[in-house]
Amino acid sequence: MQFRPDADDLGVIGFYLGKIATGVALMMALPVGLAAALGEWDSATALAAGAGVAVAFGQLTEWRLQSRTELTWAHGTVVVALAWLLGSFLAAVPFFLSGHMASFLDAWFEAMSGLTTSGLSVIEDLDHLSYSMRFYRQLTQFVGGQGVVIVMLALFAAGRGTGTLYVAEGREERLVPNVARTARFIFRIALVYLVVGTAALTMALWVAGIGGWRGLWHALGLFFAGFDTGGFAPMSQSIGYYHSMSVEAVVSVLMVAGSLSFALHYFLWSGRHKELFRNLEMRTLAVTMLGATALAMYGLASIGAYTDTAGLFRKGFFTLLSAHSGTGYGVSSGTLFVTDWGALAPAAIVVVMAFGGMAGSTTGGIKAIRLGVTFKGIVEDIRRILLPESALVVTRYHSGRTHILRTPELGAATTIVLVYFLTYLAGAAVALAYGEWEITEALFESVSAAANVGLSVGLVSPDMPALLELTYIVQMWAGRLEFIAVFALVGYAIALVRGRA
Amino acid sequence: MVDERVRPGVVSTWRSPLVGIALVVVVAAGVVAVGLLLAAGAALFVSGLGS
């Protein structure tokens, strides 16, 4: 029996939620300057109103619930789970006020999709949304990709116990011993990539015929959602809008960079280059990417969807890379996946969407470390059966350092793998209950939502059923947090009602 | 989990990030090259089947 949380517990949770609300307010305030510069006063008002609501909530909460209580693990995980719900709810206000959303639920969906770097969208008439509001939409992916809590830790001084927030948000490696310094280092990696990536995209767009400040605006938007594997694009046709090999090339590099963990970036930046070849996750990704590409290319070619190298590469391979990196950028309409792409290529896309990239990156899905560890565990079991009973079987793997595979790690990895699969199936079941879609479409969309990818075969739209929309919101939220914080929140809620006083 | 072998201040020069980014670009180029090869292989395979 758990203890019932008391007023101090709830106070410290509320206090940190207030801090996060203030951080979300800052995210909304940034594009106000752009809106003012462009004379987009309606958008400026909507963004300022959203920021006002968030800062009022944040300051009021911090003032009323000032707390010196140290965060425990339970507090930290509950704060993170609630922070993503609260943050997306507050971030939805400007979208709702933009006039491009049919309901507040749609606005919440868009904000959750943005912050969780999913990239599924229900916005109406995106191409005519103001420049500043589209910039804000892209910015949600950058902030969410880095981690709402990480951003807060990087901006404001981290207090005692805030390491729990860091871990609960799905980041396991502290690159340097201090959490605040780690958060700032992660931000530093992103900022260096921001400069280099935006410069490269600006040049690519200039080659494609989009120059001047519009080129820079597109470049920033594409960088935010590319490096953070988000998938929102400034235009409704996504990357297909640009019809440019140079843009696709730079975006491909950004998607790969985004699917690598910040720990790996750190190792590469600090001279440990061999990590690229020794890392279990890199090896796992090499195998899954190679296998899925071979399947998809064969599938597309054999049914005649694309018969030349250019079509197969620019449409098929780009989509597969976008899916595996969890980005969700597209170069062709998603409905083609079910109408023109046969069975094999969409199946390969669903599988790599479900897998995702590296743990501790901005991608979603199961993650390569869990797949690699599960595979190693299976191999160890087979060896145990084949070797004499007295043999000592030890399995090692490399991820930053050499680890010995132990039963608790293996159990944790396989549990999360199982939960992801159950979530994929549950989302598909909700869609199937409406009787409008085939199982392939329902599964595709469910995996895309829960693995925070963003590719769509058309189920996600402004007129989708409310229950299905809510299901995808929960999937995006739980998938981004890799379930543990969500389970902790449920346990905390139960303890509030049934816990021992 | 704290990696005890990682020390703060290791990344101290401007060259380190550039080398790190260059390596990521090389990895991405490798991924894209393999994709291009497999696309070309699939196209060749299909054209071979047709002839």
Side-chain angles (χ1 to χ4, degrees), chain A residues 208-243:
Chain A
I210 303 174
W213 73 267
R214 279 191 180 80
L216 183 61
W217 176 82
H218 278 275
L220 269 172
L222 289 175
F223 173 83
F224 286 154
F227 179 70
D228 283 86
T229 64
F232 276 167
M235 308 302 292
S236 57
Q237 292 176 57
S238 194
I239 302 300
Y241 170 81
Y242 303 100
H243 292 291

Side-chain angles (χ1 to χ4, degrees), chain A residues 145-432:
Chain A
Q146 300 310 300
V148 170
V149 173
I150 286 280
V151 171
M152 189 274 286
L153 286 173
L155 290 176
F156 309 113
R160 283 193 305 168
T162 45
T164 60
L165 298 173
Y166 174 78
V167 176
E169 202 172 39
R171 311 259 189 229
E172 289 176 9
E173 308 91 345
R174 285 184 211 175
L175 306 180
V176 293
N178 179 300
V179 164
R181 287 186 65 171
T182 300
R184 287 188 193 117
F185 186 80
I186 287 175
F187 224 64
R188 188 177 150 201
I189 291 174
L191 288 178
V192 171
Y193 268 100
L194 172 67
V195 173
V196 177
T198 305
L201 276 168
T202 305
M203 281 192 282
L205 285 158
W206 180 73
V207 171
I210 303 174
W213 73 267
R214 279 191 180 80
L216 183 61
W217 176 82
H218 278 275
L220 269 172
L222 289 175
F223 173 83
F224 286 154
F227 179 70
D228 283 86
T229 64
F232 276 167
M235 308 302 292
S236 57
Q237 292 176 57
S238 194
I239 302 300
Y241 170 81
Y242 303 100
H243 292 291
S244 163
M245 280 217 27
S246 56
V247 171
E248 289 161 27
V250 178
V251 165
S252 296
V253 173
L254 290 174
M255 292 194 294
V256 170
S259 62
L260 305 181
S261 69
F262 285 104
L264 185 65
H265 284 292
Y266 179 83
F267 294 137
L268 297 181
W269 285 29
S270 51
R272 292 169 60 181
H273 304 150
K274 285 182 183 168
E275 188 68 25
L276 266 180
F277 308 101
R278 299 175 66 196
N279 191 290
L280 175 67
E281 291 198 90
M282 283 299 288
R283 292 178 178 185
T284 307
L285 285 177
V287 171
T288 54
M289 189 69 201
L290 190 67
T293 305
L295 272 181
M297 293 300 105
Y298 173 74
L300 289 172
S302 62
I303 62 156
Y306 306 102
T307 50
D308 61 333
T309 306
L312 285 165
F313 178 67
R314 290 187 63 184
K315 304 289 185 187
F317 176 74
F318 184 90
T319 306
L320 198 79
L321 182 60
S322 174
H324 207 343
S325 63
T327 309
Y329 274 150
V331 280
S332 50
S333 166
T335 51
L336 286 179
F337 303 154
V338 282
T339 57
D340 290 26
W341 280 32
L344 210 49
I349 289 171
V350 169
V351 169
V352 293
M353 283 200 300
F355 286 173
M358 289 177 78
S361 69
T362 65
T363 63
I366 291 167
K367 307 282 176 4
I369 188 73
R370 296 194 182 101
L371 289 174
V373 163
T374 304
F375 177 75
K376 288 252 177 192
I378 293 169
V379 171
E380 184 179 285
D381 278 348
I382 294 170
R383 286 173 62 204
R384 228 183 271 282
I385 292 167
L386 296 179
L387 288 169
E389 277 185 36
S390 58
L392 184 66
V393 180
V394 178
T395 302
R396 292 183 176 82
Y397 66 94
H398 190 90
S399 179
R401 60 189 171 85
T402 301
H403 300 256
I404 292 175
L405 185 62
R406 298 183 197 284
T407 307
E409 286 172 7
L410 181 60
T414 50
T415 302
I416 297 293
V417 171
L418 182 67
V419 174
Y420 265 109
F421 275 114
L422 289 175
T423 309
Y424 297 150
L425 293 176
V430 174
L432 284 175

Side-chain angles (χ1 to χ4, degrees), chain A residues 39-91:
Chain A
E40 296 172 341
W41 298 112
D42 286 350
S43 297
T45 309
L47 288 160
V53 170
V55 83
F57 176 88
Q59 291 304 306
L60 190 70
T61 315
E62 281 190 56
W63 171 58
R64 291 292 299 165
L65 300 172
Q66 273 206 354
S67 172
R68 292 189 180 278
T69 309
E70 190 171 328
L71 273 177
T72 62
W73 282 103
H75 295 149
T77 44
V78 171
V79 166
V80 166
L82 289 175
W84 282 79
L85 287 177
L86 173 73
S88 58
F89 202 80
L90 293 170

Side-chain angles (χ1 to χ4, degrees), chain A residues 172 175 266 269 301 400-401, chain B residues 1 5-7 10 16 45-46:
Chain A
E172 289 176 9
L175 306 180
Y266 179 83
W269 285 29
R401 60 189 171 85
Chain B
M1 175 188 315
R5 291 180 303 164
V6 175
R7 296 180 306 280
V10 172
S16 303
F45 178 72
V46 171

